[in-house]
Amino acid sequence: MTLDIATGRSRSFAIDLLRSTVMIIMVLDHVRDFFHSQALITDPLDLQTTTPILFFTRWITHFCAPVFVFLSGCSAYLYGCKKGLPALSSFLIKRGCWLICVEIVLITFALTFNPLYSLLVLQVVWAIGIGMIMLGLLIRLPLTALFCIGLLLCFGHNLLDYPAFSPKDKTSLWWLLLHSSGSVYPLSNSHLILVAYAFIPWTGVMITGYCFGRVFEMEVRDRIRACIYTGTGLIGLFLLVRSINMYGDPAPWSVQKDTVFTLLSFLNVSKYPASMQYICLMLGPAILLLGFMEKVKNRLTTIVSVYGRVPFFYFIIHLYLIHLLCMAAFYLEGYTSKEIISPRSPFFFRPPSFGFSLLAVYAIWIVIVVAMYPICSWYNRYKSTHTQWWLSYL
């Protein structure tokens, strides 16, 4: 999702490294979806059925989408510093439309392997695409005005959770797209659309990320200080608002059967749609980590940062790789072609009864991340030595 892709263009190592970190974590969640025996049966965040390790296996991946979107905004700002606002606006709108098409065509198929596209899935790439289009349209506003709009969308959209501010019809497609994500909408008798990411909060994250991009024009010492203050402030705001338990998340926390599960309840913020508390909790530590990554450059971090230099390529390839491995395991486990399609599963070759232990999920995750490195390293070298126009879209 990075914009910084032309040959010889300077980049922020910290941005690449943070993006790489969450991309590695992201694979864990997708592997769990396809390979864990309980993935299609129980919710790993359901405190009545989960275990602490299963909860955190899912919860830790909550960092991925906000960081993707936020850093895309940062990269847009840096791109605009080099190319100018008119070029940036045009690029964002075109790239945003492209990402939405990719989400519908390539990523939906990677997830479902359904050639009839009976279920269309709108996830993080759709959210980034919408955010880019909106940012491209608003880009000529003063940075202060943009920042205020971003904060309003991030911190104010939970007002729509209240009946006084929400429409009476909460089942319309527009309401799902705007705010109430995580639901399936019937497009026809044979086609459904899953709106996993409502675009109001995610557009807010994109815009605030763009405004935060100004920090990367500072000297390193000032940049680190800004990251520490911002990250600490967001964490503090989360702790305050979550403790009050009155606004910022449709699912308030409550005392559970023991201290551990009470803590899990406190941390169990809503991603669908991305609540104000969720945004603070996820972006606070991420921005704090971004500051510390400014001076962490060694052989290991240089290797890891490769993933963050080709994020869009990585994202698409890893989904196909996971589903192909799932298909192979499907046949190796003795399933037959009659079981490819299951009415209780949106994924072909992935019936609800299929799956392995959580330990096996972690092992498969490591194998896939390692296997992706030479592919990403090759593409990063190719991208660095070629200037074809289409590279800016992949």
Side-chain angles (χ1 to χ4, degrees), residues 18-89:
L18 179 58
R19 186 186 281 118
S20 293
T21 302
V22 297
M23 287 167 57
I24 290 172
I25 296 172
M26 170 193 68
V27 177
L28 175 60
D29 193 42
H30 296 156
V31 170
R32 183 191 60 80
D33 281 335
F34 281 95
F35 287 95
H36 189 223
S37 58
Q38 300 297 309
L40 298 183
I41 300 174
T42 61
D43 180 0
L45 299 179
D46 184 347
L47 299 184
Q48 304 304 313
T49 59
T50 193
T51 62
I53 188 171
L54 178 57
F55 179 93
F56 279 108
T57 298
R58 171 62 177 132
W59 182 86
I60 193 66
T61 64
H62 274 359
F63 284 94
C64 303
V67 174
F68 273 158
V69 179
F70 186 81
L71 294 184
S72 293
C74 292
S75 296
Y77 182 88
L78 298 177
Y79 184 92
C81 290
K82 299 175 185 298
K83 295 294 185 177
L85 292 184
L88 174 60
S89 176

Side-chain angles (χ1 to χ4, degrees), residues 106-290:
L106 292 181
I107 296 176
T108 290
F109 183 75
L111 291 171
T112 65
F113 272 15
N114 182 347
L116 300 179
Y117 288 89
S118 301
L119 176 67
L120 302 179
V121 184
L122 300 181
Q123 294 194 103
V124 66
V125 174
W126 133 270
I128 293 176
I130 285 289
M132 285 184 171
I133 293 172
M134 298 301 294
L135 182 58
L137 295 173
L138 298 172
I139 205 73
R140 289 178 174 82
L141 291 176
L143 197 64
T144 301
L146 269 178
F147 185 60
C148 291
I149 292 173
L151 290 182
L152 178 63
L153 295 178
C154 288
F155 295 164
H157 79 93
N158 280 118
L159 287 172
L160 299 175
D161 296 333
Y162 298 96
F165 298 97
S166 60
K168 293 182 179 179
D169 181 11
K170 296 183 175 61
T171 62
S172 69
L173 179 58
W174 277 111
W175 180 244
L176 296 180
L177 294 173
L178 288 170
H179 179 69
S180 182
S181 57
S183 300
V184 174
Y185 182 86
L187 294 175
S188 68
N189 291 334
S190 57
H191 288 81
L192 306 171
I193 183 169
L194 170 61
V195 184
Y197 286 68
F199 72 76
I200 287 181
W202 294 107
T203 298
V205 173
M206 172 74 73
I207 292 174
T208 52
Y210 174 83
C211 297
F212 192 80
R214 191 168 187 176
V215 170
F216 290 90
E217 294 185 303
M218 300 177 179
E219 297 295 329
V220 174
R221 179 182 297 179
D222 294 332
R223 186 157 68 240
I224 293 174
R225 185 181 297 114
C227 288
I228 292 174
Y229 288 163
T230 304
T232 303
L234 287 173
I235 295 172
L237 180 60
F238 163 76
L239 292 174
L240 174 63
V241 178
R242 190 65 170 167
S243 298
I244 295 173
N245 219 16
M246 293 180 62
Y247 177 79
D249 198 286
W253 67 279
S254 60
V255 176
Q256 302 293 313
K257 60 184 179 182
D258 58 34
T259 303
V260 171
F261 276 83
T262 298
L263 175 62
L264 298 188
S265 177
F266 190 83
L267 296 176
N268 193 17
V269 287
S270 301
K271 182 181 179 181
Y272 307 106
S275 71
M276 173 260 194
Q277 293 181 19
Y278 167 86
I279 292 171
C280 289
L281 180 57
M282 298 301 131
L283 287 184
I287 294 173
L288 197 62
L289 189 58
L290 186 64

